[in-house]
Amino acid sequence: MQTELSKRLGLEHAVFGFTPFPAVAAAISRAGGFGVLGAVRYTAPDELKRDLDWIETHAEGRPYGLDVVMPAKKVEGVTEADVEAMIPEGHRQFVRDTLAKYGVPELAEGEASGWRITGWMEQVARTQLDVAFEYPIRLLANALGSPPADVVARAHDRGVLVAALAGSARHARKHQEAGIDIVVAQGYEAGGHTGEIASMVLTPEVVDAVAPLPVLAAGGIGSGQQVAAALALGAQGVWLGSIWLTTTEADLHSPALTRKLLAAGSGDTVRSRALTGKPARQLRTEWTDAWDDRGGPGTLPMPLQGLLVAEAVSRIQKYEVEPLLGTPVGQIVGRMTSERSVQAVFDDLTRGFERAVDRINHIAGRSGQS
């Protein structure tokens, strides 16, 4: 599973794996792919430094990267407290009422919320970059459009490639104009923030739109056959995220959530604004249903929604309140039916890829004889 891009980065397989877990990122790199650590959950530089130290020790010299969430346009002087003050009291009451309805316990006195998406705030993301650029990362990816121009320049000065996710050919062309090195074409099937165009349509559109820039296919990919299909559509690799959630190296801290993921089918996800304020594919739960119900107050725009529900999500996760318990995950969840190691996932990917290539070669051979 090699392409020009994978060879350029010294990879055995053209598989880029996004994950919030350092152990998974390191295992992806050790398996011959490219581990990408998601930074959005890190609010303290020391925490990110600790985990990058861990990856540096356990990736065995293999390349890895970092994924941040930062807007292309800079907003000066806005603090987290400023944003918090914009949240309407009616929405706060809706959260309290919903948690009370399901009997979700309070956090212990003095216990801070363990789930807080503040990494999307520019000052937090820039602090993350200050830490990351002290390490030999090979790739910086941004999940919220093209990074600011000075960030792109800063990465390039250090020999770091820059990738950005796109949900349409129009977005992909903007990334190309911004000097991005790699476009991740993320289809509708993907977990987390995603657009409305399916991967089978989106991938070749983006490949054609930004040629010769390398494109990675993302969204609903979790088998070797799909990897082969992505490369046949012109991608130079695949970007996988959801498939790692049920690996043995992942650290969900929730047996109940793992059970829900293993039991879910491909139709058990929903694109909802409940988590961050932007459409994000996640497990459908009674929490997402409450926010998507027309009788409710409706979600707030990003970043207000993420701050509004931060403590609630922490409480739901800590006490494993199953009707409300969910996580961002793509439609590939239907194939995630057992806990496996990262290496076992790669073994399955390579076997499936070989079978698909053999099948196509057989078809092509028969066509040539007719």
Side-chain angles (χ1 to χ4, degrees):
M1 296 192 294
Q2 283 201 337
T3 63
E4 181 181 339
L5 178 61
S6 67
K7 292 175 183 177
R8 177 181 176 185
L9 289 168
L11 310 180
E12 185 178 350
H13 307 297
V15 175
F16 294 71
F18 165 83
T19 175
F21 307 116
V24 176
I28 291 169
S29 293
R30 288 198 307 272
F34 192 101
V36 182
L37 179 67
V40 71
R41 67 189 181 93
Y42 293 95
T43 56
D46 288 347
E47 294 174 355
L48 179 59
K49 179 176 174 55
R50 176 200 63 207
D51 285 354
L52 288 176
D53 281 338
W54 197 96
I55 292 176
E56 186 65 20
T57 301
H58 292 84
E60 298 180 353
R62 303 294 184 90
Y64 62 91
L66 191 75
D67 179 278
V68 297
V69 179
M70 63 188 308
K73 295 181 179 179
K74 188 171 184 177
V75 179
E76 298 282 1
V78 177
T79 67
E80 185 176 333
D82 294 332
V83 178
E84 286 266 17
M86 300 177 190
I87 298 174
E89 177 56 30
H91 282 73
R92 294 188 187 277
Q93 187 61 50
F94 180 76
V95 170
R96 290 192 288 266
D97 291 345
T98 304
L99 296 178
K101 176 182 176 181
Y102 290 90
V104 182
E106 298 274 357
L107 295 176
E109 187 174 351
E111 182 179 358
S113 168
W115 188 94
R116 236 174 137 66
I117 292 186
T118 55
W120 43 260
M121 297 186 71
E122 181 166 342
Q123 63 266 36
V124 177
R126 285 185 177 274
T127 302
Q128 293 168 349
L129 294 178
D130 290 340
V131 172
F133 285 139
E134 296 176 1
Y135 293 81
I137 62 170
R138 296 290 304 279
L139 176 73
L140 173 67
N142 188 35
L144 199 63
S146 303
D150 67 296
V151 171
V152 176
R154 190 178 175 191
H156 287 166
D157 287 345
R158 289 163 173 76
V160 177
L161 297 177
V162 180
L165 276 64
S168 70
R170 178 173 60 86
H171 292 154
R173 281 189 288 267
K174 287 185 177 180
H175 294 335
Q176 186 178 38
E177 293 166 1
I180 300 302
D181 303 292
I182 301 168
V183 175
V184 181
Q186 180 167 281
Y188 171 84
E189 309 94 327
H193 296 136
T194 188
E196 299 180 347
I197 304 174
S199 299
M200 195 73 174
V201 174
L202 179 66
T203 301
E205 282 188 355
V206 171
V207 168
D208 290 344
V210 301
L213 214 61
V215 172
L216 302 177
I221 301 173
S223 72
Q225 295 92 323
Q226 290 171 303
V227 176
L231 300 190
L233 292 172
Q236 288 208 27
V238 292
W239 178 275
L240 310 184
S242 298
I243 197 71
W244 316 112
L245 287 173
T246 52
T247 57
T248 53
E249 292 89 346
D251 193 9
L252 286 176
H253 297 296
S254 175
L257 180 54
T258 299
R259 287 195 302 271
K260 289 188 76 170
L261 288 169
L262 295 175
S266 57
D268 292 328
T269 68
V270 63
R271 279 176 79 244
S272 171
R273 298 177 184 267
L275 193 62
T276 69
K278 282 184 173 291
R281 186 171 297 284
Q282 53 203 282
L283 278 181
R284 182 175 181 175
T285 67
E286 293 183 33
W287 177 256
T288 62
D289 286 348
W291 280 105
D292 295 338
D293 192 308
R294 291 186 178 181
T299 56
L300 297 171
M302 190 180 194
L304 301 181
Q305 183 72 15
L307 286 175
L308 169 64
V309 303
E311 182 182 322
V313 172
S314 285
R315 290 165 59 185
I316 292 166
Q317 291 178 347
K318 176 177 179 178
Y319 299 109
E320 295 190 300
V321 183
E322 292 206 31
L324 305 179
L325 187 62
T327 186
V329 68
Q331 291 180 330
I332 196 62
V333 70
R335 292 184 65 96
M336 295 157 52
T337 57
S338 64
E339 292 186 76
R340 300 177 292 167
S341 68
V342 168
Q343 184 61 60
V345 173
F346 267 88
D347 292 342
D348 183 60
L349 290 172
T350 54
R351 285 192 297 265
F353 180 82
E354 289 168 358
R355 287 195 299 270
V357 171
D358 287 345
R359 185 160 55 245
I360 295 300
N361 285 338
H362 180 67
I363 293 170
R366 286 191 303 176
S367 298
Q369 295 170 5
S370 60

